[in-house]
Amino acid sequence: MKLTPVLIFLFMNTASFAQLKPVTYNDGKQVLHGLAIKPVKENKGGVLILPAWKGIDESSKNVAERLSNLGYYAFIADIYGEGNYPKDSKEAGERSSYYKKNYGEYRQRISLAWQELLKTGADPAKIVVIGYCFGGTGALEAARTNLPVKGVVSFHGGLARDASREIVPIKPKVLICHGADDPSMPQAQVQAFQQEMRDAKADWQMIFYSNAVHAFTDKSAGNDNAKGAAYNELADKRSWQHFMDFLHEVLTK
């Protein structure tokens, strides 16, 4: 395999994640670079990981390795593609906003990553999609488009939906892990999302974590809630346990 600059970067930045393997795939002419990992021992199913707004990061890699150690296949999606990775928060905001508005393109990138997860050997009948922040928005888009998975989980993800979009019945089970004090999600938006789930006749759960704002699972977000985005150790641990319970429920029945 020829090592392009991007692949060299991926190899160097996964040195501490020995089991993660770079995977190159395509969306038309756009080259994408995801990361795959197989279960250490037993095979419980597969998890597609949609990272936050800056793309594949340490947090998503840690999640993939934790899942591998627990017996799951995992694949971290590349949404932006080679040549389009954000250099800073400004670019991350611009590029993630583009995909939120052009949700058809976002869904396409998610679907392609799902196909790559299946290629690693994961059972197509035992797949869950999870996402963080921007990736949480993507997990909900996977549910809205009825990607053939058992469930989706959004950690502090965006909930908004263009009111002009048709609501269709949602088949995957839905879990929302939400910071109770997240300033980026007005109460009206939360209520609109809940009504969408009712109208879509979804099997959904929404769990609120006290004293938690946006990005509560991200250790690099700092600890100052006043900034609107901050790590919360207790909310992180609780949401992970709720995720584990959800996986057990949807993949073992």
Side-chain angles (χ1 to χ4, degrees), residues 72-85:
Y72 297 95
Y73 286 84
F75 187 86
I76 310 175
D78 178 7
I79 300 301
Y80 301 130
E82 187 172 320
N84 297 300
Y85 302 123

Side-chain angles (χ1 to χ4, degrees), residues 5-252:
V6 172
L7 284 176
I8 291 172
F9 175 81
L10 282 172
F11 277 121
M12 291 176 63
N13 284 273
T14 56
S16 60
F17 301 91
Q19 299 177 68
L20 286 166
K21 306 299 180 186
V23 176
T24 298
Y25 57 115
N26 298 84
D27 182 0
K29 294 182 179 180
Q30 177 63 63
V31 179
L32 304 166
H33 299 284
L35 291 171
I37 191 167
K38 295 185 177 183
V40 171
K41 42 182 180 180
E42 55 187 321
N43 175 9
K44 297 180 180 179
V47 180
L48 175 60
I49 302 168
L50 306 180
W53 67 339
K54 290 186 178 179
I56 297 175
D57 53 14
E58 294 299 296
S59 179
S60 56
K61 294 174 190 175
N62 277 312
V63 168
E65 287 221 325
R66 288 179 75 180
L67 289 169
S68 170
N69 289 332
L70 290 169
Y72 297 95
Y73 286 84
F75 187 86
I76 310 175
D78 178 7
I79 300 301
Y80 301 130
E82 187 172 320
N84 297 300
Y85 302 123
K87 300 183 188 68
D88 51 35
S89 295
K90 180 177 180 295
E91 287 191 0
E94 292 170 350
R95 289 175 188 172
S96 60
S97 293
Y98 172 85
Y99 283 98
K100 289 176 184 178
K101 292 176 183 177
N102 297 277
Y103 53 86
E105 294 182 40
Y106 197 5
R107 290 173 173 181
Q108 169 71 1
R109 294 286 166 89
I110 294 168
S111 179
L112 290 170
W114 165 72
Q115 292 172 39
E116 293 301 319
L117 172 61
L118 299 185
K119 290 178 184 178
T120 67
D123 184 346
K126 298 174 67 176
I127 304 293
V128 165
V129 179
I130 69 171
Y132 296 82
C133 298
F134 168 55
T137 302
L140 292 180
E141 287 301 330
R144 288 169 175 142
T145 196
N146 281 311
L147 189 71
V149 297
K150 301 296 286 186
V152 305
V153 183
S154 171
F155 294 90
H156 43 81
L159 306 174
R161 179 190 63 86
D162 185 335
S164 67
R165 290 169 59 182
E166 180 185 6
I167 295 177
V168 300
I170 289 177
K171 296 177 182 177
K173 296 180 186 294
V174 178
L175 170 63
I176 307 298
C177 298
H178 190 75
D181 299 330
D182 189 338
S184 68
M185 303 291 159
Q187 185 60 28
Q189 192 175 102
V190 173
Q191 291 175 345
F193 169 76
Q194 293 177 343
Q195 189 59 51
E196 176 194 357
M197 292 295 102
R198 294 185 185 98
D199 293 343
K201 296 179 172 53
D203 181 343
W204 65 285
Q205 308 171 60
M206 189 168 189
I207 302 173
F208 293 84
Y209 303 99
S210 64
N211 303 314
V213 292
H214 195 63
F216 61 79
T217 67
D218 185 358
K219 293 181 179 179
S220 70
N223 297 296
D224 185 0
N225 277 17
K227 293 182 178 179
Y231 178 66
N232 182 302
E233 183 179 8
L234 185 56
D236 184 18
K237 289 181 178 179
R238 285 175 170 172
S239 62
W240 182 264
Q241 185 56 54
H242 288 135
F243 170 40
M244 291 293 101
D245 294 342
F246 183 80
L247 279 181
H248 177 73
E249 175 187 334
V250 303
L251 297 186
T252 58

